[in-house]
């Protein structure tokens, strides 16, 4: 799999570190235990298009938001975080 | 019921093996059952078997979208062990291992259980201390554990490079009762025994919807019509969330790939299971002669059932570090299983927010060894509508309650377990 980094161009996946589900937003500090439980533990886990964070750890070190298909591994969009 | 015996094999051999019949019926779905189990892998078939055998619930259907045993049951490295650290995991996996030890007698089917020993190598003082701690935890739970030194490792597996310049081997933690079993035969054996007790095993029957009325399960919609039952158990690890999405509750599960490989067939070379403490690598030899080995997760969410080259290279590199002689071999096949990964690396065998809907899920990459224990506990939970003490800790609520079973202490990252 190659990820098209907006700063460096298409690069091998080995240069990137996976950082998980990008749809989760950290709740406000006083949002309560249910909101934090959802934020830390619950995941949509789609069989299909998935929004996720990747860091170009062995490249420009930028964090990227990637829209990737979890069956075909096709990448539809990459934007800077 | 078809019974297997040495006499029968000899007699059939003389008659040209024309007397064998299929070991389970090709059942057609009835409109109504007492329990429906979704998933015809090892865990689902084991659930049905123990429902019939232990709890006397025989009006049971196992629904499988393809053929039984063709998912993760046929996509693992067949290792059986109970060498865990946390007491909740130890007790459960030891119960499972004890079921394995009597499984062939219970099922009347040869699953080729081979207690050849599992040794985890360590390479430095910290790893040695961790191994001693884990071994002591196992022994406190009544499980066999031995610490072996370098000479012990040499005796178990002479091919291991003890003097690897980067990762010299100090010793290993050995569980002699661990070993391997034939994965396909486990599915066939449970199918054979469940069918003989009246369970309908329905293949090519994909569940397309769950019938939920007033917060309770009423049955399932399938590609072969509606089937009703007051209790439904999910045993579809790898795809659990695709079914719970139909029920409308989220799970702390991500789906990830785990690869495994098999080499060309060889004469006996490695007669136990060896894991490399310095990298992600473990290896054993199948009874057919191929070396079976694998490593860690591919590292990002996927349902692809095919591995990535990056992880394959990592596994081969780790394998060569541990056993340089592997460099002369060719890999014959590789495959990937899809894993339900949980945020703490431990499973779920529990009730769900929907009344009458139960699940055994979140098996991470430890599902094969758990097969009989998972089925046994899942069947208990379905039959009694409450968990057995052995699976009481494997709930969905444990994260909210601060009772995560974080065996490796990695934090809540499913891909890091």
């Amino acid at each position: 799999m190659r990820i098209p980094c907006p700063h460096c161009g298409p690069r091998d996946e080995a240069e990137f570190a996976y950082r998980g589900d990008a749809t989760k937003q950290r709740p406000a500090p006083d949002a309560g235990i249910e909101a934090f439980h959802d934020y830390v533990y619950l995941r949509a886990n789609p069989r299909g298009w998935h929004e996720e964070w990747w860091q170009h750890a062995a490249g420009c070190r930028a964090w990227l938001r990637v829209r990737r298909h979890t069956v075909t591994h096709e990448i539809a969009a990459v934007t800077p975080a | 019921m078809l019974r297997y015996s040495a006499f029968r094999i000899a007699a059939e051999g003389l008659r040209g093996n024309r007397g064998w019949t299929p070991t389970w019926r090709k059942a057609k779905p009835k409109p109504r059952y007492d329990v429906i189990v979704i998933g015809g892998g090892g865990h689902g078939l084991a659930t049905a078997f123990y429902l019939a055998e232990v709890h006397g619930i025989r009006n049971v259907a196992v629904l499988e979208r393809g053929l039984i045993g063709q998912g993760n049951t046929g996509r693992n490295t067949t290792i059986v062990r109970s060498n865990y650290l946390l007491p909740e995991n130890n007790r459960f996996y030891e119960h499972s291992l004890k079921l394995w030890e009597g499984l062939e007698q219970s099922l009347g089917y040869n699953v080729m259980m081979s207690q050849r020993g599992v040794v985890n190598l360590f390479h430095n003082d910290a790893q040695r201390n961790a191994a001693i701690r884990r071994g002591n935890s196992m022994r406190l739970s009544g499980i066999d554990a031995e610490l072996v030194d370098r000479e012990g490792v040499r005796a178990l597996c002479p091919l291991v490079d003890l003097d690897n310049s980067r990762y010299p081997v100090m010793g290993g933690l050995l569980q002699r009762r661990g070993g391997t079993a034939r994965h396909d035969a486990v599915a066939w054996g449970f199918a054979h025994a469940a069918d003989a007790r009246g369970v309908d095993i329905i293949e090519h029957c994909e569940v397309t919807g769950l019938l939920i009325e007033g917060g309770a399960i009423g049955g399932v919609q399938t590609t072969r019509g509606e089937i009703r039952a007051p209790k439904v158990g999910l045993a579809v690890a790898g795809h659990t969330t695709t079914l719970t999405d139909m029920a409308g509750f989220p799970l702390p599960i991500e789906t990830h790939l785990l690869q495994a490989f098999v080499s060309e067939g060889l004469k006996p070379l490695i007669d136990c299971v060896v894991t490399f403490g310095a990298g992600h690598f473990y290896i054993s030899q199948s009874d057919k002669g191929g070396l079976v080995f694998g490593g860690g997760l591919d590292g990002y969410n996927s349902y692809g059932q095919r591995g990535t080259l990056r992880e394959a290279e990592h596994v081969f590199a780790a394998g060569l570090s541990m056993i340089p002689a592997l460099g002369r071999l060719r890999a014959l096949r590789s495959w990937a299983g899809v894993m339900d990964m949980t945020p703490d690396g431990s499973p779920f065998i529990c009730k769900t927010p929907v009344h009458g809907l139960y699940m055994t899920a979140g098996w991470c990459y430890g599902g094969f060894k758990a097969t009989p224990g998972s089925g046994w506990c899942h069947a208990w939970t379905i039959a009694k509508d409450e968990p057995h003490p052995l699976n009481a800790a494997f709930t969905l609520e444990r994260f909210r309650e601060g009772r995560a079973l974080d065996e490796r202490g990695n934090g809540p990252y499913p891909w890091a377990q």
Side-chain angles (χ1 to χ4, degrees):
Chain A
M1 188 170 76
R2 280 188 193 168
I3 298 175
C5 175
H7 309 292
C8 313
R11 306 299 279 262
D12 189 274
E13 62 171 290
E15 294 184 10
F16 295 82
Y18 182 67
R19 299 304 300 167
D21 189 340
T23 62
K24 292 288 172 180
Q25 294 288 320
R26 188 184 175 88
D30 57 356
I33 190 155
E34 284 303 316
F36 273 94
H37 171 261
D38 290 1
Y39 168 64
V40 176
Y41 294 112
L42 298 185
R43 296 288 176 267
N45 197 33
R47 184 185 164 91
W49 293 104
H50 189 230
E51 298 285 332
E52 53 201 23
W53 298 121
W54 288 80
Q55 190 194 8
H56 197 178
C60 63
R61 302 203 57 77
W63 278 62
L64 308 171
R65 186 184 174 107
V66 176
R67 182 171 167 77
R68 185 181 61 90
H69 198 283
T70 58
V71 180
T72 64
H73 297 183
E74 183 187 351
I75 291 172
V78 182
T79 50
Chain B
M1 175 185 174
L2 181 66
R3 291 187 185 277
Y4 299 100
S5 64
F7 172 77
R8 182 82 197 271
I9 289 169
E12 285 296 336
L14 293 173
R15 286 184 299 210
N17 285 308
R18 283 188 296 269
W20 299 113
T21 53
T23 187
W24 65 88
R25 294 166 289 130
K26 298 284 179 195
K28 289 196 169 54
K30 292 190 287 189
R32 194 170 184 88
Y33 289 92
D34 292 339
V35 178
I36 292 172
V37 179
I38 305 176
H43 289 228
L45 294 164
T47 302
F49 168 72
Y50 289 113
L51 276 170
E53 175 76 1
V54 179
H55 304 284
I57 302 172
R58 290 161 185 255
N59 187 22
V60 175
V62 177
L63 308 183
E64 166 56 46
R65 69 173 174 179
L67 297 167
I68 64 163
Q70 301 243 307
N72 289 331
T73 302
R75 291 171 173 268
N76 57 70
T77 48
T78 77
I79 295 165
V80 173
R81 58 185 175 86
S82 63
N83 53 357
Y84 281 73
L85 173 67
L86 302 177
E88 293 87 348
N89 282 333
N90 261 341
R91 284 195 290 263
F92 169 78
Y93 284 107
E94 177 61 9
H95 180 69
S96 193
L97 183 54
K98 284 182 174 157
L99 291 173
W100 277 110
E101 287 174 328
L103 195 60
E104 286 154 338
Q105 289 71 27
S106 312
L107 300 181
Y109 202 92
N110 183 9
V111 300
M112 296 167 75
M113 176 69 181
S114 162
Q115 292 180 288
R116 57 184 69 181
V118 174
V119 62
N120 305 141
L121 303 182
F122 50 77
H123 309 266
N124 55 43
D125 289 334
Q127 283 189 331
R128 182 171 179 274
N129 289 346
I132 292 170
R133 181 176 172 228
R134 184 151 58 97
N136 284 336
S137 172
M138 291 164 63
R139 293 176 75 127
L140 284 170
S141 296
I143 303 167
D144 68 307
E146 284 172 51
L147 200 74
V148 294
D149 59 9
R150 279 167 56 89
E151 290 313 308
V153 172
R154 198 194 304 276
L156 283 164
C157 188
L159 290 173
V160 170
D161 180 13
L162 297 176
D163 299 311
N164 181 304
S165 54
R166 178 65 183 85
Y167 299 113
V169 174
M170 282 181 75
L173 181 66
L174 171 65
Q175 184 182 21
R176 288 194 192 272
R177 288 166 58 241
T180 61
R182 169 94 197 277
H183 51 359
D184 296 325
V186 173
W188 300 332
F190 273 116
H192 167 76
D195 179 86
R197 284 158 183 79
V199 171
D200 279 358
I201 297 164
I202 303 162
E203 295 172 305
H204 301 294
C205 181
E206 183 172 356
V207 171
T208 54
L210 301 175
L211 304 173
I212 297 170
E213 295 138 7
I217 195 89
V220 296
Q221 291 280 5
T222 76
T223 49
R224 296 175 70 173
E226 183 180 300
I227 309 174
R228 299 197 68 86
K231 292 183 173 184
V232 174
L234 305 179
V236 290
H239 288 83
T240 306
T241 55
T242 61
L243 279 163
T244 55
D245 284 351
M246 296 176 191
F249 57 89
L251 287 182
I253 286 177
E254 288 183 3
T255 298
H256 287 265
L257 295 182
L258 184 69
Q259 293 192 66
F261 308 84
V262 63
S263 78
E264 54 198 318
L266 299 161
K267 289 184 178 179
L269 194 68
I270 295 174
D271 55 8
C272 58
V273 181
V274 196
T275 75
F276 192 35
H280 284 303
F281 185 76
Y282 56 93
I283 191 166
S284 63
Q285 187 165 17
S286 78
D287 291 340
K288 214 159 58 176
L291 299 180
V292 185
F293 54 98
L297 292 176
D298 274 19
Y300 44 88
N301 294 38
S302 178
Y303 288 85
Q305 289 193 320
R306 62 191 184 283
T308 65
L309 191 57
R310 178 176 72 161
E311 185 57 29
E313 286 178 322
H314 176 81
V315 168
F316 289 136
L320 285 178
S321 303
M322 187 173 96
I323 302 180
L326 298 181
R328 309 297 292 273
L329 287 177
R330 284 167 294 190
L332 200 63
R333 289 183 290 125
S334 75
W335 64 92
V338 288
M339 311 288 125
D340 269 5
M341 295 303 298
T342 64
D344 61 357
S346 296
F348 305 113
I349 311 175
C350 60
K351 300 164 75 169
T352 70
V354 176
H355 184 72
L357 182 65
Y358 309 86
M359 65 180 195
T360 177
W363 284 101
C364 299
Y365 28 68
F368 181 73
K369 74 177 99 65
T371 302
S374 161
W376 194 92
C377 288
H378 193 209
W380 178 287
T381 307
I382 292 171
K384 313 269 186 189
D385 194 37
E386 63 179 18
H388 187 274
L390 284 168
N391 63 306
F394 299 153
T395 65
L396 290 169
E397 291 79 30
R398 64 176 183 260
F399 301 107
R400 190 182 280 106
E401 295 165 351
R403 299 178 204 275
L405 298 168
D406 201 353
E407 182 81 22
R408 293 172 63 169
N410 275 346
Y413 305 105
W415 65 88
Q417 300 302 328

